[in-house]
Amino acid sequence: GNDQTLKTHLFGKVYPNPFTESIRIETPLTIRSVEIYNSEGQCVYKNNGLNTNIDLSAIHTGIYVIRTRTENQVFQQKIVKN
């Protein structure tokens, strides 16, 4: 609902979405980890949050969920690879 929109706004943004090659995470918060899951729930990408420009050219096209963990929250967003 509206609460989630507010949280996402405070978090920042993941773009471009849809993407073809790579995505960028823009946030004022400190990122602890980034994980990306495919539609089967398998983790296809993971890092320790230091890299906010993420090369996803190796993964297949489709719908994914990016899970970005900050100090005390986890932000989840759907991203689409074309």
Side-chain angles (χ1 to χ4, degrees):
N2 207 24
D3 184 38
Q4 192 60 44
T5 309
L6 182 66
K7 281 183 189 164
T8 304
H9 176 68
L10 292 173
F11 163 66
K13 61 182 179 176
V14 177
Y15 67 94
N17 189 17
F19 68 96
T20 52
E21 291 288 317
S22 65
I23 56 168
R24 186 177 287 274
I25 301 169
E26 196 174 273
T27 177
L29 304 175
T30 302
I31 299 173
R32 293 282 176 235
S33 70
V34 177
E35 294 168 357
I36 297 173
Y37 294 88
N38 64 17
S39 53
E40 280 102 60
Q42 298 165 312
C43 186
V44 295
Y45 178 89
K46 188 173 185 171
N47 79 26
N48 58 5
L50 295 175
N51 185 11
T52 55
N53 192 29
I54 298 169
D55 177 11
L56 296 173
S57 54
I59 67 173
H60 299 292
T61 56
I63 298 169
Y64 295 86
V65 170
I66 181 166
R67 201 173 287 170
T68 308
R69 196 178 298 274
T70 61
E71 300 216 17
N72 46 23
Q73 271 181 304
V74 178
F75 297 91
Q76 219 168 266
Q77 186 180 331
K78 254 184 197 166
I79 53 173
V80 178
K81 177 167 184 178
N82 282 345

